[in-house]
């Protein structure tokens, strides 16, 4: 049986075309490989297939439709597909139209640019042709002169020359062609260079798809042509140096300095490096170095400072024709409880004193009074307590006339003297009102005599100071007092300009819960109107409302009118000056500068400059006990007075430290600060809100409320006294002299003594004196009378004494017996 009997060979499938390929390898080896080449299968559709599918949708036959899709759904999908194709066709047509429009626009712009350039070239050609024509005519004239001269010299040679054409006749035709060739070469050369320079670089216009829209400006083209003309003529033109005024602050960044000089930053840095300063463009240099650089570059230096922002507040000298009469400002000053506010109440027919806690004034009040004669007077009522020195000083600074109130039954007191000094320092006239003349103990002459000691000479003592005897209780002398004030005001001839930007002084400031920061301002010059933008100290704002002393809203306030101003962004300090500015930006900038300056000043004042000062301060703080407190008051002046009073409490061992003082109600923030520092909170005419009270109860923070400054100062002084260490006093109770020294077994040396003075006690301390020099101090180990241990031994009796841990005793030594007691100290 052969291998091929009735069987097919293994390997190749039907329908393929086998072939042999001979592979060659190294060393002459070969191999035959059978390669199969498959033929492409051709599918012939059956004749009945097309007929059977003729009734179905064109693309919706059952063989191509996905399973589960109905005819209606398939039809909807086909419609959506056709709509999408239609939209794509529309969008493509729209894009083509837009591209075509853009291409047309580019062509139009290019045509316009070419037309402009062509016109410019034609103008240049015309100018050049005109110039060449003038030169040609000039040459023809010169040639004609030469020819005429030659003809006169040699007439025989003229006939052969006449047959020749004139040498300058072809010039008009040759010159334009040459000019055209030169122009074409110049244009082609420029285009070739430009194309080579810009080839391979992506421009902004190409990146954004608008490469054909960009073109050089007319000014740029003119500058380029001017440079080319000057270069062709061989003229080297140097740019003129522009000298600038460079504003130079106290410090400046290098890049900003270069920008202000309009110089390259690299040149400025190079100049600084030549000076030995290795800086970068982002570093800051001082004004002196920058000034050297500015002068080196040939510019002018204009020194400016941060304080220049306040230059917008200009002191304008008013013209005499602009000045108008204004009411006088009268300040009532004097000692506490001498009747200042009572006199003012009697003048105003009001009861202001009834609203003051403890019957004493603790704020500066500002009021306006209309007298029977029609004269308007502005009064300032100042406190008389010793703590309100700064308030009285402010009152004297803004006033025109000082009324010094002295009680006839009490004479001149410390705050009276202080008020006199304030009035003299402010250089304002003074009127003495001797109050309480209705009392039986009143002695006005004693007041006048006491005032002589302080260089205040009243009229009854042949002086110049007016004095009036008044009684606020009965109204005696009040009319005379008003007449004296009116007379003094008439002598002063007080005037101000109401038609200018307002300027005033803050008499008092407070933080009202409903109205926000409120400042009582006495307008000194100009007119303050609702809507004005102003800066006052470190705060700024816009006048939201003006309220007079009667609680009525007013639209404006003129000179010498006290008003409450609403609309501040914060509570100003009492005594700050209010100035109206043109814009809010100016006010904000001035306030920011003042705030930064005040912060720097406080930091400089509190910082120690040397290591020795730091160590000295730390050493002093170790020996000083501090009582920290927080102060919240109703107005700024009261807070300031309390802080000043707290600073005076203490000595070299104890001091009161005010951690924080502010205006307004006690808040949770105050309670948190008090808890962290272990300090009590002192509220002066203010209360804690509900959340602050709950927080204080939870955290155990003590809050004390006061309405009279006496009580607050006394309580803090008592608390500070508790920090003082008790004073140890020694009371000498006796002396004893050693007669003999005995040695006792188990006890040691025992001194046989005679009590010469006082008494010797077992519990007392003893000192051993030898030749009046203390050689030992300690306690007694034993005190015996004969063989018995006793508590004390009287003078003139003998006893035995043994010292604790000390045996060096000798006859004739003296024993000093004393007792120590602790004495509680208080602050004066």
């Amino acid at each position: 049986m052969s291998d091929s009997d009735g069987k097919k060979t293994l390997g190749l499938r039907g329908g393929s075309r086998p072939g042999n390929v001979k592979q060659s390898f190294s060393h002459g080896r070969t191999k035959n490989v059978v390669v199969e080449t498959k033929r492409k299968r051709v599918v012939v559709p059956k004749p009945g297939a097309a007929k059977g599918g003729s009734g179905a949708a064109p693309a919706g036959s059952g063989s191509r439709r996905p399973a589960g899709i109905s005819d209606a759904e398939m039809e909807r999908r086909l419609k959506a597909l056709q709509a999408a194709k239609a939209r794509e066709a529309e969008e493509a047509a729209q894009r083509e139209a837009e591209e075509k429009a853009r291409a047309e626009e580019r062509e139009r712009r290019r045509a316009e640019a070419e037309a402009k350039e062509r016109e410019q070239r034609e103008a240049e050609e015309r100018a050049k042709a005109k110039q060449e024509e003038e030169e040609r005519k000039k040459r023809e004239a010169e040639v004609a002169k030469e020819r005429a001269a030659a003809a006169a010299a040699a007439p025989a040679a003229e006939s052969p020359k006449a047959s020749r054409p004139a040498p300058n006749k072809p010039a008009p035709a040759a010159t334009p062609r040459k000019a055209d060739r030169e122009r074409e070469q110049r244009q082609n050369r420029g285009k070739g260079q430009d194309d080579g320079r810009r080839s391979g670089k992506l421009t902004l216009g190409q990146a954004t798809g608008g490469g054909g829209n960009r073109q050089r400006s007319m000014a740029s083209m003119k500058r380029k042509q001017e440079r080319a003309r000057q270069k062709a003529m061989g003229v080297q033109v140097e740019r003129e140096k522009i000298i600038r005024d460079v504003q130079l602050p106290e410090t400046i960044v290098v890049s900003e300095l270069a920008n202000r000089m309009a110089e390259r930053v690299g040149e400025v840095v190079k100049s600084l490096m030549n000076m030995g300063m290795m800086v970068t463009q982002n570093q800051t240099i001082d004004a002196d170095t920058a000034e050297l650089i500015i002068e080196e570059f040939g510019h002018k230096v204009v020194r400016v400072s941060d304080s220049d922002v306040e230059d917008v507040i200009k002191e304008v000298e008013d013209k005499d024709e602009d000045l108008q009469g204004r009411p006088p400002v009268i300040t009532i000053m004097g000692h506490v409880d001498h009747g200042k506010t009572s006199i003012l109440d009697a003048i105003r027919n009001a009861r202001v004193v009834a609203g003051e806690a403890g019957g004493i004034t603790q704020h500066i009040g500002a009021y306006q009074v209309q007298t029977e004669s029609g004269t308007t007077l502005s009064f300032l009522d100042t406190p008389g307590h010793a703590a309100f020195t700064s308030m009285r000083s402010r009152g004297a600074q803004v006033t025109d006339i000082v009324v010094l109130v002295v009680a006839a039954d009490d004479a001149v007191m410390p705050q009276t003297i202080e008020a006199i000094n304030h009035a003299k320092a402010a250089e304002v006239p003074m009127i003495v009102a001797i109050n309480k003349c209705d009392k039986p103990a009143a002695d006005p002459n004693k007041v006048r005599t006491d005032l002589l000691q302080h260089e205040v000479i009243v009229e009854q003592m042949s002086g110049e100071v007016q004095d009036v005897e008044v009684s606020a209780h009965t109204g005696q002398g009040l009319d005379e007092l008003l007449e004296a004030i009116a007379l003094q005001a008439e002598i002063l001839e007080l005037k101000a300009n109401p038609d200018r930007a307002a300027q005033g002084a803050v008499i008092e400031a407070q933080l009202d819960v409903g109205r926000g920061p409120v400042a009582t301002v006495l307008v000194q010059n100009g007119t303050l109107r609702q809507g004005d933008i102003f800066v006052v100290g470190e705060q700024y704002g816009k006048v939201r409302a003006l309220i007079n002393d009667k609680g009525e809203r007013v639209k404006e306030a003129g000179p010498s009118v006290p008003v409450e101003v609403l609309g501040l962004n914060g509570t100003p300090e009492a005594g700050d000056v209010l100035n109206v500015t043109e814009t809010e930006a100016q006010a904000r900038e001035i306030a920011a500068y003042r705030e930064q300056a005040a912060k720097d000043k406080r930091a400089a004042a509190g910082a120690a400059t040397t290591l020795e000062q730091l160590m000295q301060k730390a050493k002093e703080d170790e020996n000083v006990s501090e009582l920290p407190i927080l102060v919240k008051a109703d107005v700024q002046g009261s807070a300031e007075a309390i802080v000043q009073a707290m600073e005076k409490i203490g000595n070299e061992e104890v001091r009161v430290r005010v951690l924080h003082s502010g205006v307004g109600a006690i808040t949770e923030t105050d309670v948190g600060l008090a808890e962290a520092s272990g300090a009590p909170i002192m509220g002066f005419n203010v209360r804690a809100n509900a959340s602050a009270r709950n927080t204080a109860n939870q955290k155990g923070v003590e809050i004390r409320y006061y309405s009279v400054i006496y009580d607050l100062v006394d309580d803090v002084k008592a608390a500070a006294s508790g920090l003082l260490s008790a004073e140890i006093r020694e009371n000498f109770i006796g002396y004893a002299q050693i007669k003999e020294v005995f040695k006792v077994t188990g006890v040691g040396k025992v001194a046989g003594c005679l009590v010469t003075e006082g008494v010797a006690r077992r519990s007392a301390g003893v000192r051993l004196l030898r030749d009046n020099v203390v050689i030992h101090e300690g306690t007694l180990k034993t005190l015996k009378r004969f063989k018995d241990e006793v508590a004390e031994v009287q003078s003139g009796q003998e006893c035995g004494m043994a010292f604790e841990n000390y045996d060096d005793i000798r006859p004739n030594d003296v024993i000093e017996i004393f007792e120590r007691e602790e004495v509680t100290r208080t602050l004066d």
Side-chain angles (χ1 to χ4, degrees), residues 332-341 360-364 381-389 391-392 405 413-416 418-419 709-710:
I332 310 293
M333 303 179 73
H335 192 71
V336 63
D337 200 28
H338 276 202
K340 300 181 294 300
T341 309
I360 63 171
T361 300
Q362 303 181 96
H363 311 100
I364 286 186
D381 184 16
T382 61
H385 190 267
F388 296 99
T389 301
M391 284 193 186
R392 287 189 291 276
V405 178
M413 298 299 286
Q415 270 62 60
T416 310
E418 183 188 303
I709 196 170
Y710 293 115

Side-chain angles (χ1 to χ4, degrees), residues 525-646:
N525 214 340
T527 302
L528 184 64
R529 296 178 176 84
Q530 188 172 345
D532 283 348
I533 298 168
F534 62 90
V535 59
V536 48
E538 301 173 24
Q539 313 297 333
Y540 69 95
K542 183 177 182 181
V543 178
R544 197 170 72 237
L546 296 173
I547 301 174
N548 63 10
D549 59 315
K550 300 178 180 65
E552 303 168 349
R553 281 206 173 197
V554 293
K555 294 293 183 181
E556 59 182 29
S560 301
V561 178
V563 287
E564 286 186 343
V565 179
L566 279 69
L568 293 102
N569 71 324
T571 307
E573 297 288 335
D576 287 342
V577 178
L578 181 143
N579 293 98
V580 172
T581 60
E582 294 181 359
T583 62
E584 187 176 352
Q586 292 177 349
R588 190 185 300 110
E589 191 175 5
I590 295 171
Y593 162 71
R594 290 178 178 176
E595 184 178 3
Q596 184 63 39
K599 190 183 298 182
D600 294 343
K601 186 176 180 181
R602 287 192 295 267
T609 55
T610 62
L611 182 61
E612 289 78 6
Q613 291 177 348
L614 281 171
M615 295 179 67
Q616 181 66 25
K617 188 174 184 301
K619 187 175 180 181
E620 290 175 357
D621 291 345
E622 285 181 359
N623 302 324
V624 177
S625 299
E626 285 188 345
L627 174 63
I629 62 171
L630 270 77
V631 175
K632 294 299 288 287
D634 55 342
V635 295
Q636 189 68 42
S638 298
E640 180 187 20
I642 293 169
V643 171
Q644 291 177 355
M646 295 300 103

Side-chain angles (χ1 to χ4, degrees), residues 269-278 288-290 292-293 296:
V269 173
K270 181 180 178 182
S271 180
L272 285 167
M273 288 185 175
N274 291 336
M275 294 172 58
M277 295 184 64
M278 301 300 165
D288 296 333
T289 306
L292 294 175
I293 296 297
E296 183 177 342

Side-chain angles (χ1 to χ4, degrees), residues 147 210 227 454 458 586 691:
R147 194 164 51 244
R227 286 196 298 268
H454 305 286
V458 298
Q586 292 177 349
S691 58

Side-chain angles (χ1 to χ4, degrees), residues 305-384:
S305 176
D306 292 339
S307 60
D308 292 344
V309 296
E310 296 198 24
D311 290 345
V312 297
I313 305 174
K314 297 180 180 178
E315 291 291 336
V316 181
E317 291 293 334
D318 297 318
K319 299 179 181 179
D320 293 338
E321 57 267 20
D322 296 334
L323 298 178
Q324 300 179 14
R326 65 173 179 86
V329 179
I330 304 102
T331 301
I332 310 293
M333 303 179 73
H335 192 71
V336 63
D337 200 28
H338 276 202
K340 300 181 294 300
T341 309
S342 300
I343 290 177
L344 192 55
D345 288 349
I347 293 174
R348 298 176 61 225
N349 294 324
R351 296 290 296 168
V352 177
V353 72
E356 295 288 354
I360 63 171
T361 300
Q362 303 181 96
H363 311 100
I364 286 186
Y367 316 101
Q368 271 201 325
V369 175
Q370 193 84 15
T371 62
E372 294 180 358
S373 60
T375 307
T376 302
L377 306 176
S378 297
F379 282 95
L380 299 181
D381 184 16
T382 61

Side-chain angles (χ1 to χ4, degrees), residues 401-419:
I401 302 170
V402 170
V403 175
L404 182 66
V405 178
V406 187
D409 61 342
D410 201 12
V412 176
M413 298 299 286
Q415 270 62 60
T416 310
I417 300 171
E418 183 188 303

